[in-house]
Structure formats: C-alpha cells, structure tokens
Amino acid sequence: MNFVAFERAKQGTGASRRLRNTGKTPGIVYGGAAEPQLIEIDHNALWHALKKEAFHSSVLDMEVAGTTSKVLLRDVQYHPYKQLVLHIDFQRVDAKTKLHMKVPLHYSGAEESDAVKVDKCLVNPVVNELDVSCMPSDLPEFIAVDLSKLKKGSSLNLKDIKLPRGVSAVIRGGQNNPVLVSVTNPVVEVEAPAADAAAPAADAKAGKGKKK
C-alpha cells in the first residue's frame, strides 16, 4: 500500500492542535541512519487507510516531497471518544535488516472439518495474529490457516501450520508450541424428568377419594 505525507516544520502541543483543526494528522518517521522526520497526513485519507488490515501489517510506500520510502506502521493514538487520529508513528524499513511484525491469521475451512460437520464441536480461535520475524521482502500481508482437518478432541498448535517461506514465528513467554485454535465438545442439554406433570394427576386421584 502507498500513502502521501507532507513535511511538517512545527512541533509541540499547540502546533499539533492547530494542524488537527485543519483536517491533518501529525506524525513522525524514525529509524535507520536518518534523523526522525516530522510529517502530516490528510486525516480523512488516513482514517480510511487505518480500516484496512494491510495498512497495519504490510510494508508501506510513503511518498514525501516526491520521494518514496518503505515504512511500517508502529503506533496510532486515537481520541478517547471522537473519530479522530491524534498522532501516528512510522518506522523506516531497511531492506537488508530483518523485522518483527504482528501478522493476522486468516482461518478458513472449519465448517468442512469432521469436528464441526460430524461431531458438532465448537471451534474457537485463541490467537488472531502471530509475531513473526522475516526480511521485509518476505513479510506476508496475512497467514492463511486451513482448519478443514480438525477433529473432535484435538487442537491446532503453532507447529501444525506451515509458515510462508522466509518467515519464522517469534515465541514469547516460554511457550514453544502455543495453541492457535481449540476444539470443544458441544454442550448437551439434559431434560429434567417430568415430575411436575405427574403431580397434578396424583392430586386429582387423591381428591376423588375424599368424602364431604
């Protein structure tokens, strides 16, 4: 994806507030050998771009003053209750340096699995994005995960999926093979005995035996 930004000369709270009042969002680009660069972006264009998954997980082409450079989205600050982006951070990408990114997991095929079709189990995604390490040219927009082989009583772990070429998972928290998707048995509702239905009949019989 590509987007257009403009150089920003002034910084500070007051300058940023005045910039937002004109429909622009202040930002910064850092990383690499160059100094941090102050930028501004059209707020409406940025707002729509942020709704796209690829804007968060892909290497982006940023054009400033006719020059295009590769960057990654690193941080977004939103207003607490208004539909307003307060500030945005990007990091420059070095084509020869590995990067760490969170990549979305796209699950599909659960409805075709024996776990769902045959055993009526519930399939629950535990992890929706994966922290990966790779060269910028190998960064995938998302990782597709096929769930059609799931069976009752099983789960899908990290080692069960094939990562794209050149991509490796970054494991944190001491978990070597974390669960990505769990499969739980369906809840079986047991009907209570119809004891209440028999009670009126018994009462009726008892009433017939009484004499006034």
Side-chain angles (χ1 to χ4, degrees):
M1 291 185 63
N2 65 300
F3 67 97
V4 178
F6 302 90
E7 293 181 321
R8 174 167 59 100
K10 297 181 179 180
Q11 57 181 320
T13 303
S16 295
R17 186 186 303 112
R18 289 190 293 272
L19 195 63
R20 296 186 194 103
N21 289 338
T22 63
K24 302 291 179 61
T25 299
I28 189 171
V29 184
Y30 58 84
E35 292 292 324
Q37 181 182 20
L38 299 177
I39 60 170
E40 60 185 63
I41 305 174
D42 179 78
H43 182 270
N44 288 339
L46 177 61
W47 182 263
H48 290 295
L50 286 168
K51 293 182 179 180
K52 300 178 180 179
E53 185 181 70
F55 197 76
H56 297 260
S57 59
S58 302
V59 175
L60 307 171
D61 292 320
M62 180 186 70
E63 181 183 337
V64 179
T67 301
T68 301
S69 56
K70 303 288 186 179
V71 297
L72 291 172
L73 174 63
R74 281 307 188 191
D75 187 55
V76 185
Q77 298 175 26
Y78 293 96
H79 192 278
Y81 55 88
K82 296 181 181 178
Q83 290 188 346
L84 181 66
V85 181
L86 298 177
H87 196 274
I88 191 162
D89 294 4
F90 295 96
Q91 179 184 349
R92 296 186 185 92
V93 172
D94 182 356
K96 298 181 180 180
T97 303
K98 278 191 173 184
L99 51 82
H100 287 178
M101 280 288 290
K102 290 186 180 295
V103 176
L105 297 175
H106 285 190
Y107 298 111
S108 63
E111 298 79 6
E112 305 301 321
S113 67
D114 288 346
V116 175
K117 287 182 66 175
V118 178
D119 298 304
K120 310 302 180 184
C121 294
L122 301 177
V123 175
N124 306 302
V126 177
V127 177
N128 291 313
E129 58 183 12
L130 192 64
D131 195 359
V132 303
S133 173
C134 64
M135 300 299 292
S137 58
D138 293 327
L139 180 66
E141 181 178 326
F142 61 86
I143 296 175
V145 180
D146 180 20
L147 303 181
S148 63
K149 304 300 182 183
L150 287 178
K151 296 185 180 298
K152 180 179 179 180
S154 66
S155 62
L156 186 77
N157 292 64
L158 176 58
K159 292 183 179 179
D160 297 326
I161 69 172
K162 184 179 181 180
L163 297 176
R165 184 176 180 179
V167 176
S168 60
V170 178
I171 306 299
R172 303 184 187 278
Q175 294 185 342
N176 294 325
N177 191 26
V179 175
L180 303 181
V181 176
S182 65
V183 178
T184 57
N185 295 334
V187 177
V188 179
E189 296 183 359
V190 179
E191 294 184 1
D196 295 340
D203 292 342
K205 289 182 179 180
K208 288 181 181 180
K210 292 181 180 180
K211 295 181 179 181
K212 294 183 179 180

